[in-house]
Amino acid sequence: MWKYVLLVLLAGCSLGSLSTITKIGISKGFSVGELLAGQFFIGWLILMILVVLSKKKLKFQGLKFILIGGVAIGCVSIFYTLAVSKLPASIAVLLLFQFTWIGLLLDSLNQKRWPEPKSLGSIIILLIGTFLASGVVGAKEFTYDPIGILLGLLAAICFAIYIFIMSKTSAEVPAVQKKLLYGYNS
């Protein structure tokens, strides 16, 4: 069990460092495109090494879902990095985490039923917490770039789609291989 706790912690740290690295890269004169290309290349290279070391054959069950998921997670990276370039990192990550309620709504649409009352309550609490954490309360004027906000929300929508699609892929495909086909940051 501790293995999984540590993996989640590592993933959270990685996401947090991505914002910092992006902000530093932009301040050093790198373009968003250069930063994204570097992220994708290094991540893909690491996953290629892991696939080779795993000595398992690549399986392509559910390839349609894997490809759609790959596009979705790629869009998450693009929209999130662009959002970080236009907003404070804390606001960009706050917007990204809206994937939780967006995913709930996506699942409800898929199942053609309303979310349960507990889920609706969770959504309301999440939205209130997001509003309070954004710093808008008590601010004299709204200073966040609207395009940055839109990009952050697009990242959240794509992440919710990615999680939804990933739940439809074949469980027989090893996780490292899914990551290789989806993208490094899945």
Side-chain angles (χ1 to χ4, degrees):
M1 178 180 133
W2 286 105
K3 172 184 169 183
Y4 300 109
V5 170
L6 292 174
L7 288 173
V8 169
L9 177 64
L10 180 62
C13 292
S14 298
L15 184 60
S17 65
L18 178 61
S19 302
T20 304
I21 291 168
T22 299
K23 287 289 190 186
I24 292 170
I26 289 170
S27 74
K28 298 290 183 186
F30 287 95
S31 72
V32 171
E34 291 168 329
L35 294 169
L36 283 167
Q39 289 172 28
F40 283 120
F41 177 74
I42 291 168
W44 197 78
L45 185 63
I46 291 168
L47 286 168
M48 283 294 291
I49 292 167
L50 290 173
V51 166
V52 168
L53 292 176
S54 74
K55 298 178 184 176
K56 292 182 180 178
K57 284 186 174 181
L58 279 175
K59 296 180 181 181
F60 294 99
Q61 291 105 337
L63 186 60
K64 175 177 78 171
F65 288 120
I66 290 173
L67 292 175
I68 294 169
V71 169
I73 198 67
C75 288
V76 171
S77 293
I78 292 166
F79 292 140
Y80 181 68
T81 302
L82 287 168
V84 168
S85 74
K86 297 184 174 297
L87 297 169
S90 59
I91 299 302
V93 79
L94 192 67
L95 291 168
L96 176 64
F97 275 89
Q98 300 312 298
F99 81 87
T100 53
W101 67 265
I102 294 169
L104 246 165
L105 293 179
L106 184 62
D107 187 53
S108 293
L109 287 172
N110 180 58
Q111 295 183 17
K112 297 178 180 148
R113 63 173 175 78
W114 284 96
E116 296 178 15
K118 286 191 300 187
S119 297
L120 286 174
S122 298
I123 290 172
I124 291 168
I125 291 169
L126 179 68
L127 290 174
I128 291 170
T130 298
F131 183 73
L132 293 173
S134 69
V136 173
V137 176
K140 295 189 187 214
E141 64 181 87
F142 188 79
T143 58
Y144 300 131
D145 185 336
I147 300 296
I149 292 171
L150 176 64
L151 290 165
L153 290 173
L154 284 171
I157 290 167
C158 290
F159 198 42
I161 291 169
Y162 163 72
I163 290 170
F164 178 78
I165 293 294
M166 193 167 97
S167 72
K168 304 290 183 205
T169 61
S170 172
E172 295 145 16
V173 179
V176 171
Q177 292 177 13
K178 277 187 189 178
K179 287 184 181 301
L180 177 66
L181 295 169
Y182 274 139
Y184 76 95
N185 55 355
S186 58

